[in-house]
């Protein structure tokens, strides 16, 4: 079992470039989500999904798009990267039953210059 | 609105001391779930414990213990006889039953000094 796999682990972008952070899980989890972690700010929820075809905004959705075409994958798209999006991004997944913990990927460290 | 507050930004204690990390949450829902995660210097997020809103029993796991009090909306975490390996950032999180999303507090950075 691979768990939650995020790619890439590191990325440097120029302002205005676009890219997609990939997230895949093999645990058949309905719930998937993206967080960004910045110093002193904790983990802030960007977008989340409770199943294929269903997505919703979290606390800081601006500048990010998501889609959920399959249960396994939940990519995060930056359409026009900005320096303010420099952060560490974590993908997480879990069963929809609330009394289950979320499993996290290893994180993607993104720098926008 | 739901919210998790970890008022302690950073704590330093000497090894073998006991330390308590505070977590206060806000929610109007009656069914919700609380979690603690650990993030060691290597960066991964490690699940420690979950608790649902109907279970106020305290829990002990080795040197770790958790105190859940609905009356004060708190879910505090105590490390007894701390060790250097406990140095990490600790996050408290809240999950609502109605929309499934999980929100985190800002974390507490714990330094255990040898």
């Amino acid at each position: 079992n691979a768990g939650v796999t995020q790619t890439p682990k590191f990325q440097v972008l120029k302002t205005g470039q676009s890219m997609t952070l990939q997230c895949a899980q093999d645990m058949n989890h309905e719930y998937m989500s993206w967080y960004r972690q910045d110093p002193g700010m904790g983990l802030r929820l960007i977008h989340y999904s409770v199943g294929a075809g269903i997505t919703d905004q979290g606390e800081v959705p601006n500048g990010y798009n998501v889609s959920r075409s399959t249960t396994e994958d939940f990519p995060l798209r930056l359409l026009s990267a900005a320096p303010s999006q420099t952060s560490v991004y974590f993908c997480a997944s879990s069963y929809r039953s609330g009394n289950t913990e979320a499993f996290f990927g290893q994180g993607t460290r993104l720098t926008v210059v | 609105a739901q919210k998790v507050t970890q008022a302690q930004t950073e704590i330093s204690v000497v090894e073998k001391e006991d330390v308590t990390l505070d977590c206060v949450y806000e929610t109007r829902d009656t069914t919700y779930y609380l979690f603690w995660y650990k993030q060691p210097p290597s960066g991964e997020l490690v699940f420690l414990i979950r608790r649902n809103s109907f279970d106020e029993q305290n829990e002990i796991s080795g040197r770790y213990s958790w105190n859940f009090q609905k009356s004060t909306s708190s879910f505090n975490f105590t490390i007894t006889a701390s060790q250097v390996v406990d140095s990490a950032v600790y996050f408290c999180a809240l999950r609502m039953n109605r929309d499934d999303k999980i929100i985190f507090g800002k974390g507490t950075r714990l330094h255990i000094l040898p």
Side-chain angles (χ1 to χ4, degrees), chain B residues 17-34:
Chain B
E17 288 185 352
D18 300 346
V19 58
T20 295
L21 309 183
D22 297 332
C23 173
V24 174
Y25 62 93
E26 293 177 28
T27 178
R28 295 177 185 168
D29 288 26
T30 56
T31 302
Y32 52 89
Y33 308 90
L34 296 162

Side-chain angles (χ1 to χ4, degrees), chain B residues 2-65:
Chain B
Q2 57 196 89
K3 185 179 179 182
V4 177
T5 301
Q6 295 181 256
Q8 304 152 307
T9 305
E10 202 159 345
I11 300 174
S12 294
V13 300
V14 176
E15 197 173 20
K16 299 183 183 175
E17 288 185 352
D18 300 346
V19 58
T20 295
L21 309 183
D22 297 332
C23 173
V24 174
Y25 62 93
E26 293 177 28
T27 178
R28 295 177 185 168
D29 288 26
T30 56
T31 302
Y32 52 89
Y33 308 90
L34 296 162
F35 305 85
W36 275 94
Y37 282 83
K38 173 182 181 180
Q39 187 177 44
S42 51
E44 73 272 22
L45 285 147
V46 179
F47 165 74
L48 295 177
I49 191 173
R50 64 174 175 270
R51 178 65 75 229
N52 71 56
S53 54
F54 300 108
D55 180 6
E56 285 195 75
Q57 279 191 342
N58 292 332
E59 177 147 345
I60 298 174
S61 176
R63 296 184 296 105
Y64 296 172
S65 62

